[in-house]
Amino acid sequence: MKNEMILSFRASLENEPFARTCLASFIASLNPTIDEIVEMKTIVGEAVSNAIIHGYNCDSEQTVIMKAMIHDRTVMVQIEDRGQGIENIEEAKQPMFTSKKELEHAGMGLSIIEALCDKMEIISYLGLGTQLIMIKEFHHDQDRNDS
Ligand SMILES: Nc1ncnc2c1ncn2[C@@H]1O[C@H](COP(=O)(O)OP(=O)(O)OP(=O)(O)O)[C@@H](O)[C@H]1O
Ligand SMILES: [Mg+2]
C-alpha cells in the first residue's frame, strides 16, 4: 500500500498538537499499536517544535511543512522549515546540546527522535532552513504480542 500527504501550517506552537494528531490519523490505516502512535506523535512534536522555536524563533508569520508517506509498513515523515538552519549538525545531534539553554531546553529532542525512529536524517543550510527526515517501520499485526 502507498499513500502520501502534505500539510503546511503557521509556525505557532499552538499548531504542534494539530500536526501530531494529523499524522496519527494519517497512519491509522496501519492499525498501529498504542506505543507506535505515542512514539510517532512524540517524533512529530519534537520535530515541529524545533522548526518553530529554532528554525523560526517563534515567528508565527512563517510556515512549517509536514510531508508523510506510507509504503507498505514503512512511514517516512519530513518536517521542513525555511528558517535559520543548523550551523553544526553533528553538534546539534549530541544529547544535551542546546543553543537555547537560557530557555531551559534540555537539548534532548533530536536524541529522542533518533531513538524512536529507525532512521533520521538532517539536511540543513545556514540561512536557508532545515529538513528533518525520519523513517519508521511499523510492526505487522501478526508479530504483535498485545493481541
Ligand atoms: N529546525 C531547526 N532549525 C535550527 N536549529 C535547529 C533545528 N532543530 C534543531 N536545531 C538545533 O539543534 C539543537 C538541538 O535540538 P534538540 O531538539 O535536540 O534540543 P533543544 O530543542 O535545544 O531542546 P529540547 O528539544 O530538549 O527542548 C537546538 O538547540 C538547535 O540549536
Ligand atoms: Mg528540541
Side-chain angles (χ1 to χ4, degrees):
M1 188 199 69
K2 272 190 181 175
N3 199 2
E4 268 181 58
M5 63 83 85
I6 178 161
L7 176 78
S8 69
F9 53 92
R10 280 190 175 228
S12 160
L13 284 175
E14 235 172 70
N15 283 332
E16 188 209 308
F18 164 66
R20 277 192 272 138
T21 308
C22 191
L23 209 274
S25 61
F26 180 66
I27 60 165
S29 61
L30 295 175
N31 192 19
T33 62
I34 301 287
D35 283 353
E36 286 171 332
I37 296 170
V38 170
E39 287 171 9
M40 206 68 225
K41 286 178 119 180
T42 305
I43 287 169
V44 171
E46 293 294 337
V48 166
S49 62
N50 277 354
I52 296 170
I53 295 167
H54 303 296
Y56 290 133
N57 264 311
C58 296
D59 174 3
S60 61
E61 293 295 307
Q62 306 296 324
T63 302
V64 179
I65 299 166
M66 177 167 81
K67 295 176 187 164
M69 212 184 283
I70 299 173
H71 190 177
D72 296 329
R73 298 195 66 82
T74 304
V75 176
M76 198 270 293
V77 185
Q78 183 182 320
I79 308 287
E80 183 181 317
D81 67 74
R82 306 215 172 123
Q84 67 176 41
I86 301 176
E87 198 170 332
N88 183 334
I89 293 174
E90 283 316 307
E91 183 182 50
K93 278 159 70 174
Q94 295 300 315
M96 289 160 68
F97 171 85
T98 180
S99 52
K100 292 210 189 292
K101 254 206 167 76
E102 69 287 357
L103 294 180
E104 301 194 356
H105 282 280
M108 290 306 292
L110 292 174
S111 304
I112 290 168
I113 293 171
E114 205 161 24
L116 295 181
C117 65
D118 294 293
K119 195 172 190 302
M120 177 184 87
E121 194 182 335
I122 302 174
I123 301 169
S124 188
Y125 296 100
L126 269 188
L128 288 178
T130 302
Q131 280 176 22
L132 188 60
I133 300 163
M134 297 147 295
I135 294 173
K136 189 169 174 61
E137 300 285 341
F138 283 68
H139 296 115
H140 285 280
D141 293 348
Q142 65 266 28
D143 294 343
R144 286 190 196 156
N145 48 20
D146 63 352
S147 54

